[in-house]
Amino acid sequence: MLGFRAGLVVIMALALGGCATRGALRIDCPNFANYIVKMPKSRLVEDIQADAGTGSPRVQALASDPRARFSLEASLAAGARSAMRPKMLLAPEAAIATSPGDAVLLLSGGGQWGAFGVGFLDRLRSAHPDQFPRARTITGVSTGGLQALFLAVGTDPAFAALRQAYAPQSESDIVNRNPQWQAVITGSIAGLAPLKRKVLAALCVDGNPTKGCPMIDALASDASADAFIGFVDAESGDFYYAPIKMMARTLPKAEAQQCIAGAAIASAAMPVFFQQVKVGDRVYYDGGVRQSVFETMVAAQAYAEGRAAALMAQSQGMATPPSPPMLYVVRNGPTVLTDDASPQKGADALTNALRAEAIVVNQLEVQSIADLRLADPTGPIGLVTADGFDRPPGSCVKEPKDAMFSPSFMACLTRFGAARADRSPPWRALTRIGPGAEPTAVRLSPLPDR
């Protein structure tokens, strides 16, 4: 009997060896770490971590400031938004007005839930152009980072490609899926090689830079918005973002293709669910493990540069105070937990781990949006979410329940997003912290094209 057991152990070991971890998905951008920007800590976080011995908050903030790194006007941008905010809360209509080109669009993570955001924004653009955010700055995490590439270009072909990207024929178009239990052996539930191929092909013809890279050219154009994709350094836990336009403009096409793809795929690498991603010599995780949406200080810089002249004129009594930029937040998914990986269905370690991760991620998603308001108590922030997806007019049901990318579910989410865009008004306003009446929805004036 003992010999039989020993033989069984050997057989199992050999079998498991054949199913060993698939390893990291490698993306060839050796200088990636030189092109990305570490997110500066907020003043509040600096206060919280003051005893951690990380140095002077003032010195640290300046050292990590992306504007200083790219020789921009750091001091102007750092105080631009606070200096330009109205000192008193204005009437709702005035407080939420926005000047053309000043909008900032923030796109959350959510995997297949990104189909909701695509349906919503595509419908706004075609049927309600006065409500569509003509953003100069777009930030994205995970699926939002992938969306940001297409939305930054903003042309009809780019929107057509975006719709196609979120209408897969099968889950295998996007990931190489294993049975869930194999995650303990392979290191993840799904591999990302199909997604890598799709992103490389979106950036350059047939994925081959020698055939031309029209999307990279478009991202480098003055007509495109500034796109920033967020992710987390797995070793340090620090949040970084990639300045996509800078990469598109300054890097040779082959390198730009790899580095932009590296940012987009790294931002989608949610641990356990998806294969580990290594860009250059560093491992990166989905930005959603830190925050689901982010507003980089680059957004403040873009606003500062565009309004500096008006501010100077105002100081000389020659102009009215400039309007604050409008922030639009698309939460690609619901803000409450779904019944995925319910612990009532099993007590195994993986089920409990996945449920715990879902709870943590849900909290991060909600808190990331709330943090925008904490950082900016009175500015206009419009929000849309996929809450209500499982009720009419959505009534979307994911089949099978554990699907990562269900074509039928994504098609339903796209339709639901379009229906949400038809709601009047389509954007909800986040409650402002301060005196005065609180608006319940965002009303916008028509915005001309960029």
Side-chain angles (χ1 to χ4, degrees), residues 329-420:
V329 182
V330 177
R331 165 66 192 122
N332 282 304
T335 62
V336 294
L337 282 171
T338 64
D339 64 354
D340 291 356
S342 172
Q344 304 298 334
K345 301 175 182 176
D348 60 281
L350 186 57
T351 295
N352 278 288
L354 292 175
R355 188 58 174 179
E357 182 177 47
I359 292 171
V360 171
V361 169
N362 174 252
Q363 176 62 27
L364 287 171
E365 289 163 348
V366 174
Q367 191 60 49
S368 292
I369 298 172
D371 285 346
L372 296 173
R373 174 53 76 218
L374 292 175
D376 188 357
T378 62
I381 302 177
L383 171 69
V384 67
T385 79
D387 286 326
F389 74 96
D390 52 354
R391 304 190 306 269
S395 301
C396 299
V397 178
K398 184 169 64 171
E399 295 293 349
K401 282 287 186 180
D402 65 345
M404 288 183 164
F405 296 93
S406 166
S408 60
F409 184 61
M410 293 175 70
C412 185
L413 288 175
T414 301
R415 294 191 297 271
F416 177 61
R420 183 56 54 87

Side-chain angles (χ1 to χ4, degrees), residues 218-415:
L219 288 166
S221 168
D222 286 338
S224 71
D226 293 319
F228 301 93
I229 298 178
F231 40 84
V232 171
D233 183 293
E235 185 71 23
S236 68
D238 292 324
F239 190 95
Y240 283 81
Y241 60 88
I244 301 303
K245 179 172 285 190
M246 183 275 286
M247 289 179 171
R249 283 184 168 177
T250 62
L251 302 180
K253 285 293 191 296
E255 186 176 5
Q257 180 200 31
Q258 290 290 323
C259 294
I260 293 172
I265 298 168
S267 187
M270 178 61 74
V272 181
F273 286 95
F274 299 121
Q275 180 179 10
Q276 186 185 86
V277 171
K278 182 175 282 190
V279 188
D281 60 353
R282 303 287 293 179
V283 174
Y284 297 96
Y285 287 160
D286 189 315
V289 304
R290 271 287 184 190
Q291 53 195 94
S292 185
V293 296
F294 72 101
E295 181 199 5
T296 71
M297 294 179 72
V298 176
Q301 172 65 34
Y303 177 57
E305 290 180 338
R307 308 300 288 172
L311 184 62
M312 181 176 295
Q314 176 195 347
S315 68
Q316 299 173 358
M318 299 169 56
T320 57
S323 301
M326 180 74 198
L327 301 187
Y328 296 87
V329 182
V330 177
R331 165 66 192 122
N332 282 304
T335 62
V336 294
L337 282 171
T338 64
D339 64 354
D340 291 356
S342 172
Q344 304 298 334
K345 301 175 182 176
D348 60 281
L350 186 57
T351 295
N352 278 288
L354 292 175
R355 188 58 174 179
E357 182 177 47
I359 292 171
V360 171
V361 169
N362 174 252
Q363 176 62 27
L364 287 171
E365 289 163 348
V366 174
Q367 191 60 49
S368 292
I369 298 172
D371 285 346
L372 296 173
R373 174 53 76 218
L374 292 175
D376 188 357
T378 62
I381 302 177
L383 171 69
V384 67
T385 79
D387 286 326
F389 74 96
D390 52 354
R391 304 190 306 269
S395 301
C396 299
V397 178
K398 184 169 64 171
E399 295 293 349
K401 282 287 186 180
D402 65 345
M404 288 183 164
F405 296 93
S406 166
S408 60
F409 184 61
M410 293 175 70
C412 185
L413 288 175
T414 301
R415 294 191 297 271

Side-chain angles (χ1 to χ4, degrees), residues 32-50:
F32 189 69
N34 296 328
Y35 305 145
I36 62 179
V37 182
K38 184 178 177 180
M39 175 69 80
K41 296 179 180 178
S42 70
R43 190 71 59 87
L44 184 58
V45 171
E46 293 284 6
D47 289 345
I48 294 170
Q49 298 180 338

Side-chain angles (χ1 to χ4, degrees), residues 134-149:
R134 307 284 179 180
R136 284 294 184 185
T137 303
I138 301 175
T139 74
V141 166
S142 192
T143 198
L146 294 167
Q147 292 171 332
L149 297 176

Side-chain angles (χ1 to χ4, degrees), residues 5-6 29 60 77 160 167 173 191 195 205 212 303 307 326 405 409:
R5 289 178 178 175
C29 178
Q60 186 177 31
D173 289 350
L195 177 62
V205 177
Y303 177 57
R307 308 300 288 172
M326 180 74 198
F405 296 93
F409 184 61

